[in-house]
Structures are given as C-alpha cells and as structure tokens.
Amino acid sequence: MLLTKSLIHKLSALSPQIQASIRISSSSGGPLFFAAICDRPAGYLNTRLTVVAAGLSKWLDIYSGVLMVRVLLSWFPNIPWDRQPLSAIRDLCDPYLNLFRNIIPSVFDTLDVSPLLAFAVLGTLGSILNNSR
C-alpha cells in the first residue's frame, strides 16, 4: 500500500491532468490501483469488476485481430501452417472456429462461412463487456 501511495504521489507530480484523475478510496484505506487512475466522468462506477471487463474487452479485440489474420491467411492455399508463427495462430484460432464449423457447414464444399458467426459472437461479447463498464 505504501508503494502504491508513493507511485501515485510521483504520478500526481507529473501533470495536473493525472492529478485530477487520481481517486483514493477512503473506504478501503488506499487506492485501488487500476481503478484509481481513470479517464471517466465522475458518475461512472470504477470497480474491480469494471477493470476486469475492460481487460476482457481488450483481450477480445486482440483475439478478433488474430482471428482476422487466420481467416485472411486461409485464402492462400500454399501457406506453410507447420511453421511459426503461423502454427501458433492456427493453434489459437482453430479450436474456436471449429465450434462454429460444426454448426454451419461449408457452402458448396469450399466456402466456409462459419467465421462470420464467430466474429458476430465475439462482437456481441465485446459490446456486452463495453456496456458493462
């Protein structure tokens, strides 16, 4: 707690904007580190749960980007999927995509439209997490 207070004291000396955004929770006896520094208006809740929701939302954004790379690379048939970093991308994305490949079959046995549903589910989860903050 002493370390956190000294860190906030050093941060508050840097800029008046940071100084205005630091809130110290008097009920817990010290600041909630990640919830203490915020850029929101005073009316919003900034609890541990909202910090977790923000982190999960960022993680879903990153995963959507990796998933987009996987889907775009699947259009090229000569890609060596057994080499790094492509095998890591495949290992991260294929279990999630396989959930939707079992639900939606390929169109004309060549066109896989299951990533559309996969992106829709990720987008819905992301919007739920963004609205819960």
Side-chain angles (χ1 to χ4, degrees), residues 101-117:
R101 287 180 182 143
N102 293 334
I103 295 171
I104 301 175
S106 298
V107 178
F108 305 119
D109 292 332
T110 57
L111 182 63
D112 186 18
V113 294
S114 61
L116 295 174
L117 183 59

Side-chain angles (χ1 to χ4, degrees), residues 2-120:
L2 182 62
L3 178 64
T4 308
K5 283 186 180 182
S6 67
L7 180 62
I8 288 181
H9 178 67
K10 288 178 183 178
L11 285 175
S12 65
L14 293 177
S15 150
Q17 183 181 14
I18 293 175
Q19 193 173 30
S21 67
I22 294 177
R23 296 182 194 161
I24 298 177
S25 171
S26 60
S27 62
S28 65
L32 298 173
F33 182 71
F34 292 109
I37 301 174
C38 66
D39 56 353
R40 294 186 183 181
Y44 286 94
L45 290 176
N46 209 7
T47 63
R48 289 183 177 120
L49 188 58
T50 58
V51 172
V52 169
L56 284 175
S57 176
K58 284 294 182 189
W59 184 84
L60 285 177
D61 289 343
I62 293 169
Y63 190 73
S64 293
V66 173
L67 193 64
M68 179 63 76
V69 169
R70 169 66 173 110
V71 169
L72 291 176
L73 287 177
S74 70
W75 293 351
F76 301 101
N78 296 331
I79 297 237
W81 288 105
D82 56 341
R83 295 186 187 160
Q84 289 293 339
L86 298 176
S87 66
I89 292 172
R90 183 193 61 207
D91 293 342
L92 279 172
C93 296
D94 278 357
Y96 179 68
L97 288 172
N98 287 338
L99 294 172
F100 300 101
R101 287 180 182 143
N102 293 334
I103 295 171
I104 301 175
S106 298
V107 178
F108 305 119
D109 292 332
T110 57
L111 182 63
D112 186 18
V113 294
S114 61
L116 295 174
L117 183 59
F119 281 115

